[in-house]
Amino acid sequence: MGTSASKRLSQTGLKHCTLWKADRSPACRAVMMALDSMNLSITEVDINIDKGEHRTPEMLVLNPLQTLPVFKDRELVLSDSHAICTYLAGRYCDSGRLLPKDPGGRSLVDQHMHYNSGTLYPRFRAAAYPILYENCNFVMPQQIADIECAYSDLESMLLGRTWFGGSWPTLSDIVFASTISTLNILVPIDKNRYPRLSSWLFRVSEELFFVTANRKGLSEFSRRIGELSQVQQS
Amino acid sequence: MGTSASKRLSQTGLKHCTLWKADRSPACRAVMMALDSMNLSITEVDINIDKGEHRTPEMLVLNPLQTLPVFKDRELVLSDSHAICTYLAGRYCDSGRLLPKDPGGRSLVDQHMHYNSGTLYPRFRAAAYPILYENCNFVMPQQIADIECAYSDLESMLLGRTWFGGSWPTLSDIVFASTISTLNILVPIDKNRYPRLSSWLFRVSEELFFVTANRKGLSEFSRRIGELSQVQQS
C-alpha cells in the first residue's frame, strides 16, 4: 500500500495513528482504501495471521477479540473496520464526500455498512474459512447459494444508481469493494445475472484507492485460495 | 408499546414518520426502545410475519430484502435497525446523550452496533430460526457454543464499565439490550460465568425504555419459543 511517490507527496501524515493489518483480509483492505481515498498516511504494521501474530499478549491487550484490523489514535482503540472507516472520515475528512454529514445521507451509508457486517462478511467467512483454516478445498453449495442471494440483493440496491452511495463513490462503495471483490474470487459474479453489480465492480476496480490499497491483498488472497482449493478463479 | 398516559404526554410526535414492525423481532424492539428513550412517537404498523405480511407488494416496494423493521421519514426509507436508530438520534435528538457527536465517542457506539449486526444477530438467527421456522425443537450445540463465546466477548467489553457506552445508557446498550435479552431466552446467561453481563442485563431491564418497548415483544418471543421447543426458559 502507498508505494507510489506521487501518491505519498500529496498525503497527510498522521504519525500518531497506527493500523495493525493483514493485506489478505477484506476488512483490513477496506480501511486501507478509506485511508488512500482520503489521502491519509498512518503507521502500518503487517501482522502474519498464519503465524498467530494477532494473538500475541501485546495484541490481546489492544483487541481481546483477536480480530484484524486494529486501529489506535492516541487513547482510542478500535477493532471494527466499519467503525474505523467512519471515525477516520468524521475526524480527518471535512468534506463529507465519503461520509455525508446530514443524518439522512449518513444513514444510507450506515445501512450499507451494516449489510456488509451483517450479511456479506459472515457469508465471506462461511465460504473462505473452511478453505483457509479447515482443509476444505471447495466452496460448499449452501455457501454458494447464500452468496448468490447476496449478489441478488446488491443488484437490486444498484437499481438506478452508478454507485451504492449515489453519484460518486462513498464509504459504502469502499467497504463493499473490499468484500465483493473477494467474494468474486470464491463465487464469480455472473455478468448476465448481475449486470449492474458486475459493471459496478469493474468501475470501482478502476478507482485509484482500489488500485493502491486493494489489488495487492486481493491477489494474495486469490493466490492462497488457488493453492488450497479447486475454486475456479475469475 | 407506548401505552402509559404519562409517557405519551411527554412525547414528541413525528406523524410523518412510520415504522413497520413485529414486536417479537429484536431488531424492531431496538428501534422501539430508541424511540421511547428519545420520547419520540411515530406511526407504528404491526406486521404479522407468520401471515407473510412483510412480503406484500406494498412492503416489497419499500424493502426488497423482506426484512423488518422498515422505517420511512418522507422520502427516506431505511430497513436496517442500526441505521434507523442512529438516524433518529442524529436527526431528532440534539443532546448527543444516546449517540455522541464527537467522532471518537460515536465510533465506539458504531463498533458496538457492528458487533451486534455482525456477530450477535447472526447467532440469534442461527439459534432461533430453526425453532421458529424449521420444526427444530432445541438450540443446537454449535449455536449454544457460539452464543456462549459471544457472552464471553461481551463480558470482556464490560470490564470497568457500568454501561457498554460508558457512564450512562447509549444506543450501544439499547441495541445490545434487544438482542441479548432475546439470546438469554435461548441460552440463559450464567451469572457465575458472566457476572458483569448478568448484572448489566438486570440493570438495563429496569430502564424505562426496556419496560415500555422491549418487555411485551420479549414475552411474546419467549412464549412462542416455549410452545415450539424444549428450551429451558430463564
Side-chain angles (χ1 to χ4, degrees), chain B residues 38 89 91 93 122 124 153 167 172 182 187 201-202 223:
Chain B
M38 290 182 255
R91 176 77 178 77
C93 185
F124 155 72
D153 289 348
S167 305
S172 298
T182 312
V187 181
L201 184 58
F202 176 79
R223 203 165 45 244

Side-chain angles (χ1 to χ4, degrees), chain A residues 58-74:
Chain A
E58 296 76 18
M59 290 304 294
L60 286 177
V61 169
L62 287 171
N63 178 22
L65 304 190
Q66 305 180 22
T67 56
L68 290 175
V70 177
F71 170 83
K72 191 168 189 292
D73 182 347
R74 298 189 174 94

Side-chain angles (χ1 to χ4, degrees), chain A residues 7 22 28 32 43 53 59 66 95 104 111 119 136-137 158 167-168 176 179 201 208 211:
Chain A
K7 202 186 104 204
C28 295
M32 292 156 65
T43 304
E53 290 177 0
M59 290 304 294
Q66 305 180 22
S95 72
Q111 175 154 290
T119 301
C136 178
N137 64 357
L158 280 168
S167 305
W168 59 83
F176 278 160
T179 318
L201 183 57
L208 185 60
V211 174

